[in-house]
Amino acid sequence: MARTTTRPAKHGAYLVLGMHRSGTSAATQLLALAGAELPQNVMPGDEHNARGYFEPWKIALFNDERLRAGGSAWDDVFALPYAPLAKADEAAWIARATALYRDEFGEARFPLLKDPRVSVLAPLWRAVLKDVGMPARVVIPVRSPLAVAGSLARRDGFPVEKSVLLWCAYMLAAELYSRDLPRAFISYDGLIADWRAEVVRIEAAHGAPLPRMSPHAEREIDAFLTGDLRHNAGTGDLAAVPTVGPMAKTVFDWFAAAAVGPHPPLAPLEAAAAQIAELKAKMGPFVSPVTCALSAARAELDEAVQDRARDAFHTRELETELALLRRERAAIEAQVDNLLAAR
């Protein structure tokens, strides 16, 4: 594989930004296999992503909590722009995030942070990286919003209009908050078809090699990035999506161009952000509190389910111990009976 540089990689955090279900997991595993360092607690795979999400689940829970504190949620289409809290409250959240970062990454030289929520909470996490003295490099996978919408329809039951608008918000946030950082836009389809070409783009954009790319790492990446990762093709007419289709097509066209060549002018993205701001002014008070309340309800339900699971586990433990004690008691009583009979 042609490398852009042979200089040893300097320390730096890898931030994988972008929309949920848009290839962030695939990009993260590539970076991890090439030497970037995952956090201590990584979310396992499930029926929606069997090969794993590679997300720091403790950080994801923290991010959900922070979004709710601002009256938002991960699926709030109006989470852009980032709205800081009151100064003292914001400082407290940054301090919590910094402590969490240290717990998850310790002294890692190449920490790898992937949680799509970081895209809309980037100002907070950039403050954390500044506090710990860690420069950032960004990777933004680009995937058709219709493919993302198909995945979210199957997993969450979202209508296509919501998913497409949510994709716009996340991608606009990822671009906006990374403009002054070394960053690479990569094609998700390109990642599956020829990941080596995407690595060349990443290294060129960052001006640094990936930390530990090797023949062994290349074989592992080959085994991971296979065609069966692509579950939704994203076919259809994006511009025909009601209300938000034309805007989304403009945004997607920009990112698709940025993923294969120089970054186009920013005017289309700024126009799209302005359009979302207009929608937010009209509909935000009706939408965002509902998504926030649903997120809080889901969090309470998840906590209750976990509590019941723990209770059930402890109950099974107690039942096992009780059964063991009964067997031991029966054995002792049998020995006593034998002794009495012998006497």
Side-chain angles (χ1 to χ4, degrees):
M1 182 177 67
R3 307 297 297 279
T4 60
T5 176
T6 58
R7 299 192 309 273
K10 295 181 179 180
H11 76 287
Y14 285 87
L15 301 182
V16 180
L17 303 181
M19 176 57 188
H20 303 259
R21 318 300 294 168
S22 66
T24 54
S25 296
T28 299
Q29 178 64 339
L30 182 152
L31 294 171
L33 292 173
E37 299 163 82
L38 289 167
Q40 292 292 324
N41 298 281
V42 179
M43 191 179 298
D46 58 19
E47 69 273 19
H48 302 294
N49 195 340
R51 300 198 190 185
Y53 292 90
F54 309 103
E55 287 180 13
W57 62 266
K58 287 188 176 183
I59 291 178
L61 291 176
F62 169 88
N63 286 339
D64 277 332
E65 187 181 352
R66 170 59 184 85
L67 286 168
R68 287 194 295 273
S72 186
W74 79 266
D75 60 336
D76 181 5
V77 296
F78 298 128
L80 177 72
Y82 177 79
L85 304 176
K87 187 174 182 180
D89 293 335
E90 189 73 6
W93 280 98
I94 292 173
R96 283 184 57 190
T98 302
L100 186 54
Y101 171 92
R102 295 186 188 280
D103 288 343
E104 288 293 315
F105 293 106
E107 299 300 320
R109 294 186 66 242
F110 303 102
L112 173 53
L113 177 56
K114 176 258 178 177
D115 175 20
R117 300 163 187 81
V118 173
S119 302
V120 293
L121 292 173
L124 182 150
W125 284 103
R126 289 193 59 177
V128 170
L129 294 177
K130 182 178 179 181
D131 284 350
V132 300
M134 184 65 67
R137 304 162 184 159
V138 175
V139 175
I140 303 176
V142 178
R143 190 183 188 189
S144 163
L146 290 178
V148 172
S151 182
L152 290 176
R154 187 174 67 251
R155 191 188 74 175
D156 300 294
F158 289 172
V160 64
E161 297 94 325
K162 173 174 178 172
S163 295
V164 168
L165 183 56
L166 193 62
W167 178 91
C168 288
Y170 270 77
M171 296 302 288
L172 289 171
E175 188 283 324
L176 175 64
Y177 299 132
S178 65
R179 285 182 185 175
D180 61 334
L181 296 175
R183 62 182 183 178
F185 299 93
I186 61 172
S187 163
Y188 175 70
D189 291 333
L191 200 63
I192 303 302
D194 181 13
W195 63 263
R196 288 170 175 82
E198 301 304 316
V199 166
V200 170
R201 288 185 57 80
I202 291 170
E203 292 184 330
H206 291 171
L210 294 180
R212 286 184 293 276
M213 183 63 78
S214 66
H216 175 70
E218 291 189 27
R219 289 192 294 271
E220 288 189 306
I221 297 169
D222 281 330
F224 179 80
L225 290 176
T226 56
D228 59 344
L229 287 175
R230 189 188 292 108
H231 301 297
N232 294 279
T235 57
D237 185 1
L238 178 58
V241 174
T243 308
V244 298
M247 174 188 69
K249 185 178 186 308
T250 298
V251 175
F252 178 58
D253 287 346
W254 189 97
F255 279 96
V260 297
H263 303 170
L266 294 172
L269 302 187
E270 293 170 350
Q275 187 173 345
I276 291 178
E278 291 177 6
L279 287 172
K280 183 175 183 178
K282 295 176 182 177
M283 304 300 298
F286 301 100
V287 174
S288 296
V290 174
T291 58
C292 181
L294 287 174
S295 176
R298 283 194 295 263
E300 291 178 3
L301 179 59
D302 288 343
E303 186 175 351
V305 169
Q306 292 170 8
D307 287 343
R308 291 190 65 177
R310 283 193 293 269
D311 291 344
F313 175 76
H314 292 316
T315 299
R316 287 193 297 271
E317 280 189 324
L318 291 172
E319 289 175 346
T320 301
E321 291 179 5
L322 183 58
L324 179 61
L325 289 172
R326 285 171 176 165
R327 286 195 297 271
E328 291 177 349
R329 176 180 175 179
I332 293 171
E333 289 175 345
Q335 291 176 357
V336 171
D337 290 343
N338 291 336
L339 288 172
L340 290 174
R343 292 184 63 183

